[in-house]
Amino acid sequence: GQQLNQSPQSMFIQEGEDVSMNCTSSSIFNTWLWYKQDPGEGPVLLIALYKAGELTSNGRLTAQFGITRKDSFLNISASIPSDVGIYFCAGRRETSGSRLTFGEGTQLTVNP
Amino acid sequence: DTGVSQDPRHKITKRGQNVTFRCDPISEHNRLYWYRQTLGQGPEFLTYFQNEAQLEKSRLLSDRFSAERPKGSFSTLEIQRTEQGDSAMYLCASSLGTGRYGYTFGSGTRLTVV
């Protein structure tokens, strides 16, 4: 089963607002990834993080690799309607090879 | 299109039937992964291949499931004697090397067992 706790489960915001979501684990991860999934499609990689404390941006998206290596955060600034979708965190542990563990997702709805 | 292709996109089958899904990875990617995603959940790892070798299988992959990648290119995932609990989206992904920079996922095959 899932080992990553992702919150919130869903968010309803107005266009232009900023969004924050996070992912926590009881295990240490050496890579954190954030994906976005649209209905009926596979997840698309947004941001990848490789070092504790790392802060990486991709346009209006910013993600951070937590210092403890057990958490990660994703922020979206100035949301727009096309940001609608499900956002997943995923982590990889040193002992798990190529296997990714995913969170349960955050469903984002943006009202115009 | 040089992305990951999955076929079919949708499959409806009766309980007890066998089904097979195909995945064509990005051509230069040597690793191929299968994940399963049920409604409201994140993807869960099933298995992965490096070239033609199946290197890891999850406990989720029961004896009714088998995956192959015979020539190190496309892969097939077969489910025998399907059960209603097998209804899910089956996602294929590929990566170059260990996937350190993330995988590229296909659009998935949505399986419905009735």
Side-chain angles (χ1 to χ4, degrees), chain B residues 45-108:
Chain B
F45 173 81
L46 292 178
T47 188
Y48 88 93
F49 293 83
Q50 177 164 300
N51 301 315
E52 64 274 11
Q54 189 172 17
L55 295 188
E56 189 177 352
K57 292 196 291 187
S58 161
R59 283 172 291 180
L60 291 175
L61 214 64
S62 76
D63 290 345
R64 296 184 298 105
F65 288 70
S66 63
E68 293 183 345
R69 194 182 183 199
K71 297 181 181 177
S73 56
F74 73 91
S75 175
T76 57
L77 178 67
E78 181 184 15
I79 309 174
Q80 296 183 327
R81 304 181 304 282
T82 52
E83 302 172 356
Q84 285 190 319
D86 296 331
S87 295
M89 173 82 90
Y90 289 84
L91 292 163
C92 176
S94 68
S95 71
L96 186 60
T98 61
R100 168 176 166 78
Y101 302 103
Y103 314 150
T104 301
F105 279 90
S107 297

Side-chain angles (χ1 to χ4, degrees), chain B residues 4-11 19-25 34 74-77 90-92 106-110:
Chain B
V4 177
S5 298
Q6 291 190 245
D7 183 68
R9 290 294 308 272
H10 303 274
K11 177 72 176 178
V19 294
T20 301
F21 311 139
R22 177 179 170 122
C23 172
D24 287 89
W34 285 99
F74 73 91
S75 175
T76 57
L77 178 67
Y90 289 84
L91 292 163
C92 176
S107 297
T109 293
R110 168 73 66 190

